[in-house]
Amino acid sequence: MKNHLFSFLFFFIQAVATMVLAQNEAPQAIHPPVGTVSGADSGVISITLVNKHLNYKGCPAQYRDPYIQSPKSANIHPDGTKYYVNSLEGCATVVYDMKTHQRLKVINYRFEDDKDAKLWSTPSKFYPFTHYTENLNTFMGKPVESAFSHGGRYLWIPFYRRTFDLNAQDPSAIAVVDTRTDEIVRLMETGPLPKMVACSHDGRHIAITHWGNNTVGIVNVESLNPEEWYHEKLLVVDYILPLNYSLTEPVDRDNKSGYCLRGTVFTPDDKYLLVGCMGGNGGIAVINMETQRYMGRVLGMMPNVRHLVIKDDYLYLSINKAGYVQRIRLDSFMKAARQLGGKTMKIGGWESCKVGEGARTIELSPSGRFVFAACNLASKLYVVDTRNMRTVDTISVDSYPVGLDISNDGRFVIVTSQGRGHQGGNAVNIYEVKYAEPEPVLKNTDGAAVLNRTPQDDTDQNVRAEASPLPSIVDGPYKWGYWAAGLVGAIVLLSVWTTFRRRKMQHHK
């Protein structure tokens, strides 16, 4: 009994210490109020926090939304009427009206083998299951990033993992939502731990990067009929990471994932696909889309590349840990890339701007004049002037921001805060941006070329009915179980402590 007692106390103290250390790794969380205005007086840009969606303890009631649970990313529809927020731990995507910011819909990711069988595409040879064998299509999906295709008609949303796959080592999946109805119309398998997804400019290919094992999946979406989409190729960045982790004990898959493939972008001519590597010795992987072959990795930028954007003949990237935005002329980058020959090559010529630590998602204003960067550890939105690659403005964000999107007219920037070390997070901030020089309004380029072809089958078949809303753990029907579990834990701890004290007194007697 004595050994069990000390073991219990040891693990309890270890758990508390772990929580304290996790909290010490992240600065104190902040929650700027609506109405906050950016601090810089640059004369070229100003930003105002105009609305929020929140779900943390003590948040203002008028902004509370129970479906915001660890929001990972945001995507504004190309027509500017609504936006989508991926609620990672809520296993749902929340849809909001762009003008009123009212919630329009919750797209839940609860799937069952029989009920949702018609949504699944034909399995490919690329993604075999090696650890799980039963009820493979019964799970809840954790949405990460998103990308529009077919002129904004469809939204592609990959899942971090299927919920039964504890360590994300078997195939995950991606859902396709018809944005006219905001219903799921297709489900497709992916590799382990997919994070980023991108659509080619000609609308013919979807690229899905698998953080979990150094691979990139290519899906052919030439047809306007989702039933005709198919997995075309699985590409490997240097090597496939072997996956054979425990089925009962969690491991750190956010770090133990090879090159940790992340930022993904097609070049303007769609001849190449560029993929950022946050892990290993970093760099940017280059894929030839004409031959569908991996070419090698370009090095020379700072390590820990997180997000990639191409704009006005420049390749922009965010450097996560150090907190930088870097860029290089695209023609210079591609000149080196064409000489890779399956190896790595260092190149110079990078321009850099220091922003806040933990630089995650970046986007450019319509004119390309400004880069907006969500900086996680700094809990700020930074703005970089691309004319001189210097910071011209900052504004506070609910801690700790990760995702970001900007409207096609540049007027609104939406930032998601996922949280860190059990602090911050569960927040979406909406900013209004004013420019001294008017910004152009971008045309819809999300696979728009596809819309110029005659549809073969443009029906509304296979539209999935919306599942029942996912309840919040603390405020939904499970709330009493949540509090009961906490009470039982406290009673057990008190009982153990009392027994320990009694035996100690008897020993002294």
Side-chain angles (χ1 to χ4, degrees), residues 50-72:
V50 295
N51 216 315
K52 288 188 172 193
H53 304 296
L54 308 171
N55 186 28
Y56 58 83
K57 184 178 180 180
C59 69
Q62 66 268 38
Y63 303 118
R64 187 176 181 278
D65 188 332
Y67 297 100
I68 295 300
Q69 298 180 38
S70 191
K72 187 71 173 179

Side-chain angles (χ1 to χ4, degrees), residues 268-300:
D269 58 10
D270 289 326
K271 291 182 178 181
Y272 301 94
L273 179 70
L274 310 182
V275 180
C277 303
M278 286 189 72
N281 61 343
I284 296 174
V286 183
I287 292 167
N288 186 322
M289 286 300 297
E290 292 183 314
T291 61
Q292 293 194 340
R293 295 179 65 89
Y294 167 64
M295 299 170 61
R297 287 182 296 123
V298 175
L299 306 176

Side-chain angles (χ1 to χ4, degrees), residues 189 221 312 315 329:
E189 58 186 342
V221 294
D312 297 333
L315 170 62
R329 291 199 63 86

